[in-house]
Amino acid sequence: MESFPQQEDAEQLTADTILELLANRRRRYLLYALRGRTEPVELSRLAETVAGWEHNVPPDEVAQNDYKSVYVSSVQCHVPKLAEAGVVEHDTDDHSVILSDTFEQLEPYLEVVVQDEPENSTLQRALGAETHEGLLGSIRQNVAKLKQ
């Protein structure tokens, strides 16, 4: 069994790496889905969530082809790219994923790009329902600070 690698120190991400990682909407959705989790999540579960957000339906209403598209691209492309950058830890045996400490470098940028997501979408509702003030609340605070 290939378990999660132990990271001693989070590697500093370059601006090019951050922009490349966040350039793909599906990768951003994977990161949104992993935020706040303390235990590894199976990719199949993440794919259901992401496919639901992409098609603006609850995860249990996602069409099989839509789910399969998200799952396959996540396994073959998106999760390996995030793992290579050190943003996630991926157990290739059971296809589970968890964020690494390096994610903290991406999070401020992820908070900015979420503003381009459709209002009243299942993604926006999920992010707004997070504990405390949620991702959207923190974005509003940061934008208000910038305007001052």
Side-chain angles (χ1 to χ4, degrees):
M1 178 170 132
E2 187 176 324
S3 62
F4 295 105
Q6 296 294 321
Q7 262 188 303
E8 293 177 14
D9 291 317
E11 186 176 323
Q12 188 66 32
L13 298 175
T14 66
D16 286 342
T17 299
I18 290 170
L19 293 172
E20 182 180 347
L21 292 175
L22 297 182
N24 184 280
R25 186 179 199 189
R26 193 166 280 171
R27 274 196 296 274
R28 292 192 307 268
Y29 281 18
L30 286 167
L31 293 170
Y32 293 137
L34 288 167
R35 285 180 73 249
R37 305 223 183 222
T38 57
E39 296 293 324
V41 181
E42 290 182 18
L43 267 174
S44 58
R45 191 164 157 213
L46 287 175
E48 288 175 347
T49 300
V50 169
W53 289 343
E54 286 184 358
H55 297 281
N56 204 30
V57 297
D60 59 347
E61 294 179 20
V62 172
Q64 183 65 24
N65 286 342
D66 296 332
Y67 161 78
K68 187 175 179 178
S69 171
V70 172
Y71 182 81
V72 170
S73 70
S74 296
V75 169
Q76 292 180 350
C77 176
H78 302 301
V79 171
K81 187 175 228 43
L82 292 167
E84 183 180 324
V87 175
V88 300
E89 296 174 10
H90 177 209
D91 185 326
T92 55
D93 287 339
D94 67 4
H95 292 292
S96 60
V97 182
I98 191 166
L99 292 173
S100 71
D101 291 340
T102 305
F103 171 73
E104 292 174 3
Q105 296 174 48
L106 277 180
E107 194 164 24
Y109 304 99
L110 196 61
E111 291 178 6
V112 171
V113 296
V114 75
Q115 296 177 64
D116 288 338
E117 298 300 336
E119 289 186 33
N120 299 319
S121 65
T122 54
L123 170 66
Q124 293 285 7
R125 286 191 295 277
L127 295 177
E130 291 179 350
T131 58
H132 305 289
E133 293 183 353
L135 177 63
L136 298 177
S138 67
I139 290 169
R140 289 184 191 104
Q141 285 181 343
N142 288 337
V143 169
K145 288 178 189 177
L146 291 172
K147 288 182 179 180
Q148 293 177 351

